[in-house]
Amino acid sequence: MTKGNDTGRTGILRHPITSLRSCSLGVIISSHLEWQDHIARIVDLSITGVGIESSVMIPPGFVWFNESVGGNKYGVLTWCKPHGDQYRAGINFVTLARDEEQYIEEQVKQLKPHTPLRDPRQIISTMIESLKRSRGWPA
């Protein structure tokens, strides 16, 4: 767990969450393009992402929060590793245009947990393009 206003290795100010707050999230697993539902505890929050703890390993992938976290609905889970008897993971927020949000939400509503996605490459492409725009990278 981070200590008060930790900047960590990234140099970005992270704020520890002192009250117990959990979040429900869906992850499109990058390695095999499958949807999984998870419940995690929020550990810390910054303007660029959120740190979570889970009782199970969550593979890297694209994240959809059932309820917004720090004002964000989407992210990319970039790492997950053992931390005591839990798993600690980092999620970078992704901002989507309204039409991109609607497309992702329509796809998510049609999914069942642990089933292959109907159009995973389009979802991933949409999120990657949004991530590039938010970081000022060339398209």
Side-chain angles (χ1 to χ4, degrees):
M1 185 128 142
T2 59
K3 302 226 187 296
N5 295 340
D6 184 14
T7 59
R9 293 179 303 226
T10 63
I12 295 173
L13 187 64
R14 295 181 302 171
H15 303 280
I17 304 300
T18 55
S19 61
L20 231 69
R21 178 165 178 219
S22 63
C23 65
S24 175
L25 53 109
V27 180
I28 300 171
I29 306 304
S30 298
S31 63
H32 52 280
L33 304 176
E34 180 178 85
W35 177 268
Q36 291 184 359
D37 287 313
H38 294 277
I39 302 288
R41 185 174 76 81
I42 298 174
V43 177
D44 59 46
L45 185 66
S46 76
I47 61 168
T48 61
V50 62
I52 62 170
E53 281 186 351
S54 173
S55 60
V56 297
M57 175 75 132
I58 304 175
F62 298 95
V63 175
W64 179 75
F65 297 104
N66 289 335
E67 293 182 21
S68 68
V69 174
N72 297 276
K73 288 284 283 182
Y74 307 98
V76 177
L77 191 143
T78 55
W79 59 270
C80 187
K81 62 184 178 183
H83 185 78
D85 62 346
Q86 299 283 308
Y87 290 89
R88 180 88 160 80
I91 299 171
N92 293 319
F93 294 134
V94 174
T95 303
L96 299 175
R98 185 63 196 139
D99 62 327
E100 294 169 330
E101 278 186 33
Q102 288 175 332
Y103 175 78
I104 300 289
E105 288 177 11
E106 287 171 15
Q107 293 293 306
V108 167
K109 285 178 187 175
Q110 296 175 20
L111 298 176
K112 295 183 179 160
H114 307 288
T115 58
L117 296 171
R118 191 180 71 174
D119 192 5
R121 291 188 195 328
Q122 179 62 37
I123 293 172
I124 291 169
S125 174
T126 298
M127 295 186 91
I128 287 172
E129 289 305 313
S130 177
L131 186 60
K132 285 180 180 178
R133 281 193 310 274
S134 70
R135 301 215 192 284
W137 296 343

